[in-house]
């Protein structure tokens, strides 16, 4: 994408004399840099004091420095408020994780303001990498490799770096507890331009994270200096505006969004680190070296304290000419090393300034924090500043000394592992939350630590640290055990490709002496030395199996890298540099092995005993079971075996025809009736050990078919059928025994007889199993009985004198002859028969009622009788 240089950023390079070029630090996107007004022309308010200002070459004094902050390119969710009522509520939680919108991923994080983030999010489109103020493009955006931002709360930072936990609100503090929070000390925040919301932002920050509030204290422009001592009972916050001549003025500098961001994070995180320290924000009228040196000298006039400077410009041969600003009595000076990777910047290069570099922090809320050097941190070897006396070869890592090495110390600075900061735009009553990083972030926190150390020293009637380098390098870093307990050595990461751009054991220019283990460091700085602690090796019980490779990691904790060794280890067991123990071919037995971890810095060792139990290799375990089958029906089953290695199988006591496959499948194609105890043996292919299991195989003898049939009845000449029911394991065929002529049975067991004959018959139905040849049978009693003749006729009616007729119908099943008689027929009635029907006719009926008694007798001796009424009515 096209890179655009805003008009107010096209100021190129400035030359110092004719020999040295001053490369200014990068100017980030969206900075409202004011017009270049000569510092001498800026109006100042009269004060009652004067200060001698060294003469600085105009070319140097006019140089413009830049703030050293980075911001992750996303507006964060508002903190959840769990710290509001309990300032330690989030201490043991992991940091807040938030995804960076896709459209923001390519934005540079250097000096990225909340306003530009909001505009970019609203536009929802890719943003071209922004250019710095010198016209050169920024280095690759630190967020380019990550789409998730981890953001830490004050409580989480205190837990990670072992800062004392904040007492509950309303707790009456002892002097020692108040000192641990910086009571009675002053931190001077030196920045350029104006942030009208600094106090409001601090109040929101304090409320959200349960931090002590600060009383707003005005300092008059004509106040008597030095200031009165800072209060021991609570935090005060003051804002003053300086002139290049180190006087105070009532005229606020112009607003600048970038410097306003810098001021917000400096104030909030200095306070988060030393919550009871007095904070005096000194706002310079512009970002020139002249004006900022005026602010530093004003701090010197205000009295003892710690000066935090989160800004810088590339060093030059002029830097030592302004060092006199950093020589105030009982004053400590700290500055950011830069945020563009390898390089040396002013004022951190000054021998009297504690140079603060940056790391990438990883802390889950428990255990020991992990850090690498942040890729954007400044640091290197000065091209101009002489080697200070405190940087000696007695400090591990300081070798081949030529000139001043920067950094001195470090703290979290990566915006991808940033820290919450509240930012308000002018006129707004609400705050946006950002994940802020850069060495701008690490510097005010170290300023807070120095203030706490001074508070603890004051309780012992000791003077303030002032220039702390001598104690940090001489009394702490030169003593191995004290060095190891006071600092976490940063041994991973790089900030470029130069010879000193990679972190290593001991001092290196990226992280300096390292990051603070605050509890131990403060004890060292306040004069109470803490003996270094030996590594802790946690004992453990380890189990394994003979012949099976064993591997485990020794659990050891220490503040520095460890080397490992073992005592009493069996042959073949080894331990790697990472603490991983390996044993390729363990032998059965119980071993007590002492694991020794040695601190590479302090030389102290710790040990723990590991009880290692190697169990003998067990033989294969073969299951048992009961298997049932049928004669003639193929049988197969799988053997159950548990073994660490492949096994082979054999059978013992198996009947003829039974076999077992390599996979443990037992098969028998044609089982024979009987019960068999078959022993299955499984042999381990590697150890040769065997296991056995007995399977009981029961093959039941075949059963004959079971036939069921019911007794049936029929009538002579009427077709008859019935079906036999058979239960058999195989198909059957049917036959009949004792069946009368004409009766038959089909393949389905259905019996039929087309023309039954009178009589009673015992018919045996026989079913034969088609495979076993076994038969089953059942006897059916079949009765065929006659029913005798039947007579049916309707009542006959007629009219006197008018011919009438009626029908009498006869049946005689099973009979060969039939005799019929009709009794009670009136005179004149005539009868005729056709087949089995008798027709009665009466040509001249006579009025009256009559009854015809019809009797039928068949040749079987069976009879039937029916009375048929006859009714004749008059005309």
């Amino acid at each position: 994408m096209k890179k655009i240089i805003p008009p107010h950023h096209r100021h190129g390079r400035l030359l110092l004399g004719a020999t040295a070029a001053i490369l200014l630090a990068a100017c980030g996107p969206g900075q409202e840099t004011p017009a270049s007004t000569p510092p001498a022309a800026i109006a100042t308010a009269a004060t009652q004091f004067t200060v001698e200002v060294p003469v600085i070459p105009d070319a140097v004094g006019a140089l413009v420095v830049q703030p050293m902050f980075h911001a992750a390119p996303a507006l964060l969710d508002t903190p959840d408020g769990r710290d509001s009522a309990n300032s330690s509520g989030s201490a043991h939680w992991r940091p807040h994780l938030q995804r960076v919108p896709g459209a923001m991923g390519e934005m540079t994080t250097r000096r990225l303001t909340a306003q530009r983030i909001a505009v970019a999010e609203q536009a929802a489109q890719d943003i071209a990498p922004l250019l710095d103020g010198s016209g050169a493009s920024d280095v690759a955006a630190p967020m380019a490799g990550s789409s998730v931002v981890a953001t830490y709360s004050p409580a989480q930072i205190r837990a990670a770096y072992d800062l004392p936990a904040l007492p509950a609100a309303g707790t009456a503090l002892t002097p020692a507890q108040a000192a641990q929070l910086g009571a009675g000390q002053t931190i001077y925040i030196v920045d350029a331009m104006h942030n009208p919301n600094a106090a409001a932002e601090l109040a929101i920050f304090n409320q959200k994270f349960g931090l002590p509030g600060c009383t707003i204290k005005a300092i008059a422009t004509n106040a008597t200096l030095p200031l009165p001592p800072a209060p021991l009972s609570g935090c005060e916050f003051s804002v003053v505006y300086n002139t290049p001549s180190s006087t105070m003025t009532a005229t606020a500098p112009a607003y600048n969004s970038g410097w306003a961001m810098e001021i917000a994070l400096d104030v909030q995180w200095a306070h988060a680190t030393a919550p009871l320290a007095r904070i005096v924000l000194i706002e310079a009228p512009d970002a020139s070296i002249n004006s900022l040196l005026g602010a530093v000298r004003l701090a010197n006039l205000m009295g003892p304290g710690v000066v935090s400077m989160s800004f810088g410009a590339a060093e030059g041969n002029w830097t030592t000419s302004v060092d006199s600003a950093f020589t105030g009595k009982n004053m400590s000076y700290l500055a950011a090393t830069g945020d563009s990777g390898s390089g040396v910047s002013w004022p951190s290069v000054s021998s009297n300034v504690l140079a603060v570099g940056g790391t990438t922090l990883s802390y889950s809320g428990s255990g020991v924090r992990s850090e690498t050097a942040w890729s954007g941190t400044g640091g290197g070897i000065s091209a101009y500043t002489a080697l200070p006396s405190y940087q000696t070869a007695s400090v591990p890592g300081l070798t081949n000394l030529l000139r001043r090495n920067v950094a001195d110390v470090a703290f979290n600075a990566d915006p991808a592992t940033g820290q919450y900061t509240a930012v308000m735009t002018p006129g707004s009553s609400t705050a946006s939350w950002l994940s802020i990083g850069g060495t701008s972030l690490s510097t005010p926190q170290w300023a807070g630590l120095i203030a706490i150390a001074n508070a603890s020293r004051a309780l012992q009637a000791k003077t303030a640290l002032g220039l702390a380098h001598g104690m940090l390098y001489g009394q702490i870093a030169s003593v191995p055990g004290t060095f190891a307990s006071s600092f976490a050595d940063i041994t991973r990461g790089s900030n470029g490709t130069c010879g000193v751009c990679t972190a290593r054991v001991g001092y290196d220019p990226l992280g300096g002496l390292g990051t603070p283990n605050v509890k131990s460091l403060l004890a060292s700085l306040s004069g109470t030395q803490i003996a270094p602690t030996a590594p802790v090796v946690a004992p453990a019980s380890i189990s394994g199996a003979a012949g099976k490779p064993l591997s485990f990691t020794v659990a050891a904790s220490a503040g520095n890298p460890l080397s490992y060794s073992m005592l009493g280890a069996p042959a073949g067991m080894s331990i790697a540099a990472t603490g991983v123990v390996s044993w390729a071919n363990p032998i059965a037995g119980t071993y007590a092995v002492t694991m020794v971890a040695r601190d590479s810095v302090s030389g102290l060792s710790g040990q723990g005993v590991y009880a290692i139990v190697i169990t003998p290799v067990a033989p294969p375990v073969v299951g048992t079971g009961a298997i049932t089958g049928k004669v003639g029906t193929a049988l197969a089953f799988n053997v159950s075996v548990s073994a660490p290695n492949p096994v082979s199988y054999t059978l013992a006591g198996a009947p003829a025809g039974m076999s077992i496959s390599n996979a443990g499948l037992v098969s028998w194609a044609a089982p024979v009736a009987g019960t068999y105890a078959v022993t299955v043996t499984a042999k381990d292919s590697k150890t040769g050990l065997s296991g056995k299991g007995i399977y009981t195989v029961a093959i039941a003898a075949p059963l004959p078919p079971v036939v069921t049939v019911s007794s049936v009845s029929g009538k002579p000449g009427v077709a008859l059928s019935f079906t036999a029911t058979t239960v058999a394991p195989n198909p059957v065929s049917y036959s009949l025994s004792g069946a009368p002529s004409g009766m038959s049975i089909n393949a389905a067991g259905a019996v039929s007889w087309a023309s039954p004959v009178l009589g009673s018959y015992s018919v045996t139905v026989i079913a034969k199993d088609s495979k076993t040849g076994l038969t089953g049978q059942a006897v059916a009693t079949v009765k065929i009985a006659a029913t005798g003749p039947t007579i049916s006729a309707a009542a006959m009616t007629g009219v006197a004198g008018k011919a009438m007729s009626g029908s009498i119908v006869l049946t005689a099943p099973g009979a060969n002859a039939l005799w019929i008689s009709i009794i009670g027929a009136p005179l004149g009635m005539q009868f005729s028969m056709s087949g089995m029907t008798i027709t009665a006719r009466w040509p001249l009926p006579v009025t009256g009622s009559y009854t015809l008694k019809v009797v039928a007798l068949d040749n079987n001796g069976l009879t039937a009788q029916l009375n048929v009424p006859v009714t004749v009515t008059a005309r």
Side-chain angles (χ1 to χ4, degrees):
M1 290 180 283
K2 185 177 180 181
K3 298 181 179 180
I4 301 173
I5 307 174
H8 56 273
H9 286 176
R10 299 171 183 163
H11 46 66
R13 296 180 176 179
L14 297 177
L15 296 179
L16 177 62
T19 59
I22 305 302
L23 298 180
L24 303 186
C27 178
Q31 309 302 323
E32 297 88 347
T33 305
S36 298
T37 303
I42 298 176
T44 61
T47 60
Q48 85 292 4
F49 60 86
T50 60
V51 62
E52 182 179 349
V53 179
V55 177
I56 301 174
D58 290 344
V60 173
L63 290 176
V64 176
V65 303
Q66 295 292 346
M68 298 293 193
F69 73 85
H70 280 245
L75 297 179
L76 299 181
D77 301 328
T78 300
D80 57 21
R82 74 183 63 192
D83 293 328
S84 297
N86 175 12
S87 59
S88 298
S90 65
H92 299 296
W93 288 71
R94 70 175 188 176
H96 172 73
L97 301 178
Q98 185 164 327
R99 187 168 297 279
V100 175
M104 313 288 287
E106 297 302 319
M107 293 186 74
T108 181
T109 61
R110 182 181 299 132
R111 291 185 292 282
L112 184 60
T113 64
Q115 293 93 323
R116 292 192 62 81
I117 294 173
V119 169
E121 287 187 345
Q122 185 174 0
Q125 60 186 10
D126 290 339
I127 303 300
L130 303 175
L131 301 180
D132 66 17
S134 66
S137 63
D138 270 335
V139 296
M143 285 301 301
S146 174
S147 61
V148 176
V149 177
T151 309
Y152 293 91
S153 69
Q156 290 163 340
I157 291 297
R158 299 189 79 86
Y161 288 96
D162 201 22
L163 274 155
L166 292 176
T171 301
L173 302 181
T174 65
Q177 288 175 317
Q180 289 181 339
L181 303 179
Q185 301 302 308
T186 302
I187 300 174
Y188 297 99
I189 304 295
V190 173
D191 280 311
M193 312 306 292
H194 182 48
N195 179 354
N197 297 313
E201 292 165 338
L202 178 60
I204 292 173
F205 184 81
N206 290 341
Q207 188 280 327
K208 184 59 69 174
F209 295 113
L211 297 172
C214 293
T215 301
I216 307 302
K217 182 71 174 289
I219 299 176
T221 58
N222 60 351
T224 301
L225 300 183
L227 296 173
L232 295 172
S233 58
C235 165
E236 287 183 353
F237 177 62
S238 302
V239 182
V240 298
Y241 316 127
N242 74 282
T243 69
S245 59
S246 305
T247 61
M248 289 185 283
T249 174
T251 303
Y255 170 78
N256 175 279
S257 63
W259 280 104
M261 286 266 289
E262 181 63 63
I263 291 170
L265 77 95
D266 288 348
V267 169
Q268 290 168 36
W269 281 99
H271 177 66
T273 309
L276 295 186
R278 174 170 64 187
I279 294 179
V280 177
L281 170 62
I282 304 177
E283 293 183 342
D286 56 58
S288 69
I289 287 178
N290 224 17
S291 293
L292 288 166
L293 284 174
V296 173
R297 292 190 177 97
L298 177 58
N300 293 339
L301 291 170
M302 287 182 167
V306 183
V307 179
S308 178
M309 300 173 285
S310 293
F311 53 79
E315 69 166 346
N317 59 8
W318 52 271
T319 54
T320 55
S321 67
V322 297
D323 272 354
S324 62
F326 308 123
T327 56
K329 183 179 179 180
N330 292 328
M331 297 291 289
S332 299
Y333 307 91
L334 299 94
T337 62
D339 60 2
S340 300
S342 176
V344 178
S345 66
W346 177 90
S348 65
V349 72
S350 171
S351 298
N352 292 339
V353 173
L354 192 66
V356 186
T359 64
T360 297
L361 172 65
S362 176
Y363 183 65
S364 65
S366 62
V368 180
R369 71 184 184 272
S370 172
E371 290 176 280
T372 60
W374 175 45
S375 61
T377 188
I381 301 174
S382 174
Y384 307 100
T385 302
L387 182 70
S389 60
Y390 51 78
Q391 289 190 324
T392 68
S394 62
V395 176
L398 277 172
T399 57
N400 301 322
L401 304 176
L402 297 175
R403 287 174 297 277
R404 165 81 158 119
N405 283 247
V406 175
D408 296 312
V409 293
F411 212 93
N412 181 41
D414 188 342
T417 62
Q419 296 168 210
Y420 280 110
T421 301
V423 179
M424 300 171 67
T425 57
S428 174
S429 60
T430 60
S432 297
W433 292 93
L434 279 74
S435 184
I436 296 291
T439 52
S440 278
L441 175 65
S442 51
T443 300
Q445 293 178 96
W446 259 98
L449 295 180
I450 298 298
I452 294 171
N454 284 339
S456 297
R457 291 175 66 86
L459 284 181
Q460 304 172 60
K462 295 180 179 180
T463 59
L465 286 171
L467 305 183
H469 306 75
M471 180 169 285
L472 290 172
Y473 281 90
Q475 298 179 38
I476 295 178
S478 295
V479 181
T482 305
F483 189 11
S485 64
S486 299
F487 285 95
D489 192 6
I490 307 305
T491 60
R492 296 177 294 129
S494 65
N495 66 346
T497 57
C498 66
V500 294
C501 289
T502 300
R504 60 181 185 271
V505 174
Y507 177 92
D508 56 66
L510 289 79
L513 300 174
T515 58
N517 295 323
V518 173
K519 183 177 180 180
S520 297
L521 175 64
L522 290 178
S524 298
L525 290 175
S526 62
T528 305
Q529 297 296 323
I530 295 179
T533 57
V536 176
V537 180
S541 297
I542 305 296
S543 59
K548 186 176 182 179
L550 177 69
S551 178
F552 59 89
T553 300
V554 174
S557 60
N560 303 292
L562 298 172
S563 59
Y564 294 90
S565 60
M566 297 184 296
L567 299 175
M573 181 179 286
S574 62
I575 188 167
T578 56
V580 176
V581 177
S582 302
W583 195 4
N585 188 26
I587 299 172
T590 299
Y591 308 89
V593 182
T594 301
M595 304 297 174
V596 181
R598 184 176 184 275
D599 191 303
S600 59
V601 176
S602 68
L604 298 177
S605 296
Q607 60 187 37
V609 177
Y610 276 55
I612 302 173
V613 178
I614 306 298
T615 57
V617 177
V621 176
V622 182
T624 60
I627 307 298
T628 59
K630 299 176 181 178
V631 171
T633 300
L635 177 69
F637 61 92
N638 284 300
V639 173
S640 172
V641 175
S642 174
N645 306 301
V647 297
S648 58
Y649 296 93
T650 56
L651 298 177
M658 181 180 286
S659 63
I660 188 169
S661 71
N662 292 333
L665 176 66
V666 176
S667 56
W668 193 6
V672 178
T675 300
Y676 309 89
V678 181
T679 300
V680 179
T681 301
K683 183 177 181 181
D684 190 301
S685 60
K686 291 188 176 181
T687 65
L689 299 176
S690 296
K692 296 181 179 181
I694 297 177
Y695 283 78
T696 301
V697 182
I699 305 299
L703 298 175
V706 176
V707 183
T708 303
V709 66
S710 300
S711 294
V712 294
S713 298
K715 297 177 181 179
V718 178
L720 177 70
S721 67
F722 60 92
T723 301
T725 300
T726 302
V727 177
N730 305 299
V732 297
S733 59
Y734 292 96
S735 61
L736 297 176
S737 176
S741 176
M743 180 179 287
S744 63
I745 188 169
N746 66 13
V751 178
S752 58
W753 193 6
S755 182
V757 178
L758 184 69
S760 181
Y761 310 91
S762 293
V763 180
T764 302
V765 178
I766 303 169
K768 183 178 181 181
D769 190 300
S770 60
K771 290 189 176 182
T772 66
L774 297 177
T775 61
Q777 61 186 36
V779 176
T781 299
V782 181
K783 293 182 178 181
I784 304 299
T787 60
T790 63
I791 305 170
S792 62
M796 299 180 189
T797 60
V799 179
K802 187 176 180 181
M804 58 179 292
S805 62
S807 296
I808 300 171
V809 179
L810 301 142
T811 63
N816 296 323
L818 185 66
W819 290 269
I820 302 167
S821 64
I822 300 174
I823 303 170
L827 292 176
M829 181 175 283
Q830 303 169 355
F831 299 93
S832 63
M833 187 169 184
S834 174
M836 298 294 286
T837 299
I838 298 173
T839 301
R841 294 183 176 84
W842 194 1
L844 293 172
V846 178
T847 301
S849 296
Y850 314 92
T851 300
L852 301 179
K853 181 179 180 180
V854 182
V855 179
L857 172 66
D858 65 13
N859 63 309
N860 295 319
L862 301 175
T863 63
Q865 177 178 307
L866 179 67
N867 292 327
V868 181
V870 179
T871 303
V872 179
T873 60
R875 294 181 180 179

